[in-house]
Amino acid sequence: MTGPLAPTPTLELLRAAAELCGPTAQRLFEVLAEDYPASLERRPGQLLRAADASAADLDGLLAAAGVASTDDLRLLAARESGLRLAEPDLRFTSRDPESEPRERSALRRMITAEEGNLRRTLADLQANGALELAAAALLRARRRWVLGDLKSAGYASLLTSDLTSSMRDVFLVQPATGAAVNAIADAHPDDVLVVFSFRNYSRLTVDVAREFHALGASVIALTDSYTSPVCSFATHVLAVDTRSESPHHSPTAVAAAAHVLAALAAAGAKGAARRNRRRAELFRSLGSYGLGQTRSAAAGGAEGAPDLPEPAAGLPGPRAADPSGLPAAPGDEHPPAR
């Protein structure tokens, strides 16, 4: 690259957008314009650090200029300048002293792998009908139990939260022997158990699935292979692709499959919409929403506003005292403010 070119229509658009968006956007524009269009060969993270800006600032500047992303901006600049712009180097280096240079992973390769996991998993589950059958089992069940151990405890909590919003009698089984024994003792043949089981497989999860199966209850297993130990006791198996460039299994397709399962169950649940509205009213009356409003304003808006107020991005909702002693739905709790 020989140096910065004369101002182009795209660069002038960015300049006008920066003037509208404020000082941070102007700093971002100065970084971009310094050696434009060569600046677009730098990683977005490098541009943000140089301008002391955030990703939201960059997105706001591009949106104000009518550009969808830095990739689209690079295409526009290349077309205007007649130059071939290299894509930013998205490589990152592991700090593991035992890693070799050839083992360094690329961010783009990881993103491509995650997209592939998601696409393959959802396509396969749609093609073999497993999601529909599992959702039907959830709808027919007398009670729904959800269990995940180790890393899978997070998936179980997410699914429990989604199911609780649309149907009753959903119980999260804590990954401990005492809680598992209580669940097995209270279980009924008309119940259904949803388990998450991935390498390295939890013995507790497999044992609980075996006991529910012996009782005659349905077991829905979200797992990484049809040969995983829990499949021997599963009525419905949702096989999820968890391959990853990192040492840990990928959670992308797991969370998506669980969300689709809950959405399908909610679509067929009687009274799901009424339950959602009632929950929204309760959350509003308990002060769980309305961040940035006075308590009186939030209470006044509850009568005629059908939609929940959106909390500020990235901020947890306020915690209100609950004198009623009612338990919160699993997964609905907000993390403490930092």
Side-chain angles (χ1 to χ4, degrees), residues 185-205:
D186 291 340
H188 186 275
D190 292 335
D191 292 353
V192 66
L193 169 70
V194 183
V195 294
F196 294 84
S197 182
F198 303 97
R199 294 184 181 87
N200 295 315
Y201 305 106
S202 163
R203 180 179 297 277
L204 175 65
T205 301

Side-chain angles (χ1 to χ4, degrees), residues 208-256:
V208 173
R210 183 188 65 238
E211 294 299 326
F212 269 78
H213 174 75
L215 182 66
S218 297
V219 177
I220 301 172
L222 285 89
T223 187
D224 50 16
S225 170
Y226 285 108
T227 60
S228 71
V230 77
C231 290
S232 300
F233 312 109
T235 314
H236 306 283
V237 177
L238 305 184
V240 180
D241 196 336
T242 60
R243 286 176 286 186
S244 175
E245 295 283 336
S246 76
H248 312 288
H249 76 257
S250 167
T252 305
V254 181

Side-chain angles (χ1 to χ4, degrees), residues 13 63 92 95 124 150 173 180-181 203 210-211 219 242 280 283:
L13 260 179
F92 61 90
R95 291 184 179 272
D124 290 346
L150 306 174
V173 182
V181 168
R203 180 179 297 277
R210 183 188 65 238
E211 294 299 326
V219 177
T242 60
F283 278 125

